[in-house]
Amino acid sequence: MCRSCVGELFANLSSFYPGKSRRGFMVGSALAAGAGMAALGAAPPTRAQAGGVDLIFRKGTIIPMSGADRYAEAVAVDDGRIVAVGTDAEVMKLRTTSTRVVDLAGRTLLPGLIDPHQHTGVGAVITALFEDVGYPTYKTRQAVFDAVRAKAAKTPANDWLYFFGFDNLLQGGELSIGELDALSATHPIMIYYNNMHTAAVNSAALKAAKIPDDIQELPGGGRFRRDANGKLNGLVDEEAALRRMLVGLPKLTPQFVGKATADWLKRNSAAGITAVHEAGVTVTGDQLQGYERIAAQSPCRMSISLMFASMSAGDPYKDFGRGARATQVPNSLLSFYAIKIIGDGSNQTKTAAQTVPYLGGRAKGELNYEPAQLKKMVAEVKEAGWPVSIHANGDAAIDAALDAIEAAYGANPATGINRIEHCTMARMDQVARMGALGVQPSFLMNHVHLYGAAYRDILFGAERADRMDAAGDCVRAGVPFTLHTDSPVTKIGVLQLVQTAVTRRCALDNSVIGKNQAVSLTDALKAVTVHAAGQIGMRDRLGSLERGKEADLTILESDPYKVEPDKIADIKVSETWVAGKKAFG
């Protein structure tokens, strides 16, 4: 699903923290880190009395996600790191008069949950600037139209109206320029689909954005679609075209972006997430310094992959590592992982590239880059010392991605895990090939939760739909995988992903899609802990409760092993801890 184009929202913002040199900024962020939530990772906490520990968690269910034992009885933490996991008697020997003992009172302690693919800055700004017209709020197409019309009635003529979250599969199909023109002829309107690859605009928007009638396809797959008569039909696809429609957004200020992003991160922390990976940042100006400042005060860790066009923006941070050698920027919870390339579009809008046509027609979607061009781009990423992360929903795009990765990196490169983002329609032979190359997929399992029935009945037919998000094949092939939300494409919170990976149940009609692709609860939890840590270059620091690892912890009100599989997403998050400091709860 995802789209990075809204990184262009930041195009008129030179920095989150303007007027500072890099060295001055580092000093400033270090000072800022001395207060409030900045203590979560900014400076090492003071050690407890020699020979003792700062914290002990006990009297609950503890799931280490390491080794053969499912449960432990207690965990000891000192200086923000785990120093012991074991029986209550063993761990309590480390207690001194200065040790704080946390009584879990029967609750369940897990390694901190990780969302390895979302869009933090973009999601934060969209949430703040765009009106929500998504399916959770508006169940019908007419309800969406009524909301747009009501907003237009309260807005001065010629002012832009921006909306986000329209779901063409659940809210009645593609929008048309005629429908949007009927809502307002005087307001430029953009309705951004929740897949973040497509938007619908009206005639006033095309005029205001100065889109000529004869506009051709733009680099990277940017398209203004046309009707049967060759006229623009108001549908806009992919980054290069979508960014042309953002001319009506207000100028962003550092204060606005900072607050929006902080609020977004707090929502992640409240969902039990201790680390988020922003999968593709388009950098403008000193934007990364802004991320650095926010990460110094964040309630969860922030990992970033840069978009291909922004690759050089990571050069000032080279000494802090990337990929397999990722480390945190000093005085911050920020780290860097890979370079992101968008290989195709969305299955939901039939823009993802397939080898077999979509159901009921001859359309196969389109690659955003010709295979030779993609190989050249991936070779540049490898030459610069990064792993690559390639968005590929359709199996044709997955073929092109694997060809490019194999040509540039070979198998199991030292730079780190190369990732296929979403990897929705992978064939069995492609899963086997990923295993041979050391490539790992990250699945948006909410595809099954939201669209399983639509994939079956509208897009692919039962046989192909049963293969979507092929986690089961990965387990059988020994290929590690992760699960992600792609927020704001789907809502923040990874427990729904875990539930769906286990049940394969579609919420729309309660049907099970691809029973053979269901996985065990243990495999699903690994996908948002151990394997997710590996896919952001932090496997040696995060993802399991083991001696020497960071004390990132999620406390749940119930043990996921002891609730009905269809109730896992309903488990309440009680507390979230990062580096031995409570961030939520």
Side-chain angles (χ1 to χ4, degrees), residues 182-318:
L183 301 178
S184 177
T186 60
H187 298 88
I189 297 173
M190 174 179 174
I191 301 181
Y192 198 15
Y193 285 26
N194 70 329
N195 63 42
M196 297 183 73
H197 285 268
T198 297
V201 300
N202 66 351
S203 298
L206 292 171
K207 181 178 179 181
K210 299 180 180 179
I211 305 300
D213 291 338
D214 60 351
I215 191 167
Q216 301 299 306
E217 183 167 325
L218 304 173
R223 291 177 289 272
F224 290 83
R225 288 195 231 169
R226 299 179 183 278
D227 62 22
N229 297 317
K231 295 184 177 180
L232 296 176
N233 68 2
L235 292 175
V236 184
D237 296 317
E238 303 302 325
E239 175 179 356
L242 288 164
R243 74 163 69 119
R244 299 278 294 268
M245 307 309 301
L246 300 177
V247 295
L249 289 173
K251 181 176 175 61
L252 306 181
T253 66
Q255 293 77 14
F256 174 86
V257 175
K259 182 181 185 306
T261 306
D263 290 345
W264 181 269
L265 293 167
K266 287 177 185 177
R267 289 173 58 198
N268 274 277
S269 182
I273 295 170
T274 58
V276 299
H277 178 68
E278 183 154 11
V281 175
T282 300
V283 177
T284 59
D286 297 329
Q287 186 180 334
L288 289 183
Q289 293 187 11
Y291 274 100
E292 187 179 336
R293 177 174 182 258
I294 290 170
Q297 305 177 66
S298 172
C300 52
R301 299 180 194 274
M302 298 175 66
S303 169
I304 284 178
S305 286
L306 300 172
M307 291 302 296
F308 178 81
S310 297
M311 184 159 48
S312 62
D315 289 348
Y317 293 85
K318 187 179 295 187

Side-chain angles (χ1 to χ4, degrees), residues 142 234 271:
Q142 188 57 51

Side-chain angles (χ1 to χ4, degrees), residues 377-408:
M377 294 167 70
V378 172
E380 289 182 37
V381 175
K382 194 261 185 183
E383 180 65 24
W386 295 87
V388 71
S389 165
I390 303 179
H391 163 117
N393 269 308
D395 70 323
I398 297 170
D399 278 336
L402 293 176
D403 286 348
I405 289 171
E406 184 171 14

